[in-house]
Amino acid sequence: MTYQHITVKPLAGAIGAEILGIDLSKDIASEAMDEIRRAFLENLVVVFRDQDLTPDSQKAFSRHFGSSHINDFFPTVDGHPDVQLVAKNPEDTRNVGDVWHTDVSYVRKPPLGSMLYALEVPDAGGDTMFASMYNAYETLSDGMKELLEPLNAVHSATQSFGVRATGPEMRAKNKSMAFKYSEDAEQIAVHPVVRVHPETCRKALYVNRSFTKHLEGMTVEESAPLLNYLYDHMARPENTCRVRWEKGTLTFWDNRCAHHYALNDYQGQRRVMHRVTVLDDRRDNTTLTENAA
Ligand code: SIN
C-alpha cells in the first residue's frame, strides 16, 4: 500500500524509515496520522527530521499512540516527570544504552515504544542502531522456533538500575545521568521468549541483554548458552539499521519488536536527548504469556 499524505523513505532492508512532509509541532490531520501509524507498524522505527519540539509538543505527539510511562530511574526534565533526560556531557565516559536492549522489559506491562528527540548531538558518532526482532525470529530454524515457543524468560532492572549500577562508581562515569536507585529495580517480570505483536500479530523474539536474567525454571548459567546465541543472532547486520542524529531529529521505535543500541563512540562532546516512553494502553497485557500461543 502506498502513502498519500506522507513520504516514507526506508533506511535499510529489514527495519527503519524516514518520514518526510510532517511538522510534529502542529496538529496532524487524521489521514496523515493513520499513515504514520501504518508506517510505524511496517517499519518498526520511524525518523522525523528538522523538528522543533518542546517537551509539551513531544508529549502531544506521543499521545496519538498512548499515555506516557513514568520511569523510576532516569532523571527527568524540570516540570515533566514523564520526559526523561538522556544525556552525556563532555566529561562523561559512559553513555546510556550501549547494550542491545528493548526499553523497560522489566515491568509486567512493557511499553509500546519510545520517542527520542535530539537537542544536542556530537559532530560525529552517537548514532543509534536498531534491530528487527521479527527478522531475528523468522530467520531461526524450525527446530529452534519449536524449542523457544513454550519458553518464558525472567526480566529485571537490577543489572542496569540496581544498587551497583546506580552507585558512586557508575555515577562517576556519567555525572549527567545520575540514575536514581528505586526498590523497583529488584522487581521481576516474566514474558514469553517469543512474543506475538498485539497489533501486527507477527512473532518477535523478546529477550535482551540488559534486562533478561534467565529462562524461567533454569539457572542463569543454564540459560546463558541459549540466550547468548539469540543475542548474537539478533544483532546480525542484516537485521539492523542505523540512525544518524541531527539536532531536531525525532525517532520513534516499537519496543515490542525492535531492539536498540546507543553507540558510545564519541568522547569530550555533549549529546542531549529527551525521551518519552509510550505505554501500550490499548490492551491489558498484564501477562504477555497469553500471546505466546
Ligand atoms: C535508550 O536506550 O533509550 C537511549 C538511546 C539513545 O540515546 O540513542
Side-chain angles (χ1 to χ4, degrees):
M1 257 169 39
T2 55
Y3 295 92
Q4 309 297 321
H5 304 278
I6 56 174
T7 302
V8 178
K9 216 170 96 190
L11 287 171
I15 183 170
E18 288 200 10
I19 296 187
L20 314 177
I22 291 287
D23 180 346
L24 299 178
S25 68
K26 304 239 161 72
D27 284 344
I28 302 171
S30 63
E31 294 84 357
M33 209 46 237
D34 288 346
E35 291 195 351
I36 292 173
R37 268 195 208 93
R38 179 154 63 83
F40 172 67
L41 291 176
E42 285 174 2
N43 295 284
L44 296 63
V45 177
V46 286
V47 181
F48 302 84
R49 301 288 184 191
D50 301 321
Q51 302 296 323
D52 188 4
L53 298 176
T54 60
D56 280 322
S57 52
Q58 183 176 352
K59 282 194 282 188
F61 178 56
S62 76
R63 291 214 180 91
H64 287 285
F65 297 88
S67 53
S68 33
H69 170 252
I70 306 276
N71 193 294
D72 291 329
F73 310 111
F74 275 66
T76 52
V77 174
D78 280 350
H80 299 275
D82 49 352
V83 181
Q84 292 117 45
L85 184 69
V86 177
K88 183 176 177 231
N89 277 330
E91 63 277 15
D92 297 331
T93 53
R94 185 188 165 212
N95 74 338
V96 175
D98 61 341
V99 176
W100 280 108
H101 66 285
T102 180
D103 290 332
V104 198
S105 72
Y106 48 83
V107 297
R108 292 177 71 205
K109 278 182 73 167
L112 176 153
S114 301
M115 265 180 203
L116 197 64
Y117 175 62
L119 289 112
E120 227 175 307
V121 296
D123 297 336
D127 298 354
T128 306
M129 294 192 68
F130 295 89
S132 165
M133 294 302 110
Y134 293 142
N135 255 48
Y137 173 76
E138 286 161 11
T139 52
L140 292 169
S141 67
D142 289 345
M144 180 59 96
K145 286 179 187 158
E146 251 176 68
L147 177 80
L148 298 179
E149 202 73 36
L151 299 182
N152 290 317
V154 175
H155 297 241
S156 142
T158 319
Q159 192 179 310
S160 301
F161 304 116
V163 181
R164 255 194 72 226
T166 52
E169 195 188 322
M170 294 312 264
R171 275 174 192 235
K173 294 182 183 166
N174 189 326
K175 293 195 177 65
S176 342
M177 286 306 293
F179 286 130
K180 294 170 274 183
Y181 175 72
S182 152
E183 281 183 6
D184 286 352
E186 313 306 335
Q187 76 192 358
I188 60 159
V190 179
H191 303 305
V193 170
V194 178
R195 183 181 181 185
V196 178
H197 191 290
E199 292 185 79
T200 65
C201 297
R202 289 176 70 185
K203 289 183 177 177
L205 288 178
Y206 197 70
V207 286
N208 70 90
R209 275 194 202 276
S210 284
F211 304 125
T212 305
K213 284 181 88 155
H214 58 86
L215 297 167
E216 190 181 41
M218 296 186 204
T219 65
V220 170
E221 292 73 20
E222 287 166 348
S223 312
L226 183 53
L227 289 177
N228 285 332
Y229 171 78
L230 293 176
Y231 298 149
D232 289 346
H233 174 76
M234 290 167 171
R236 289 175 61 223
E238 291 78 6
N239 296 335
T240 71
C241 73
R242 182 166 175 146
V243 172
R244 170 101 185 87
W245 295 93
E246 292 155 9
K247 182 174 169 3
T249 299
L250 179 130
T251 300
F252 178 35
W253 62 86
D254 191 331
N255 278 312
R256 301 164 295 185
C257 55
H259 279 191
H260 57 285
Y261 183 115
L263 275 81
N264 188 14
D265 59 349
Y266 59 104
Q267 300 301 334
Q269 292 192 66
R270 183 173 284 116
R271 180 181 186 271
V272 182
M273 307 275 181
H274 284 175
R275 189 178 89 177
V276 175
T277 308
V278 183
L279 291 169
D280 212 342
D281 293 326
R282 233 174 299 208
R283 57 192 305 281
D284 178 8
N285 56 353
T286 306
T287 61
L288 289 172
T289 315
E290 72 204 7
N291 294 331

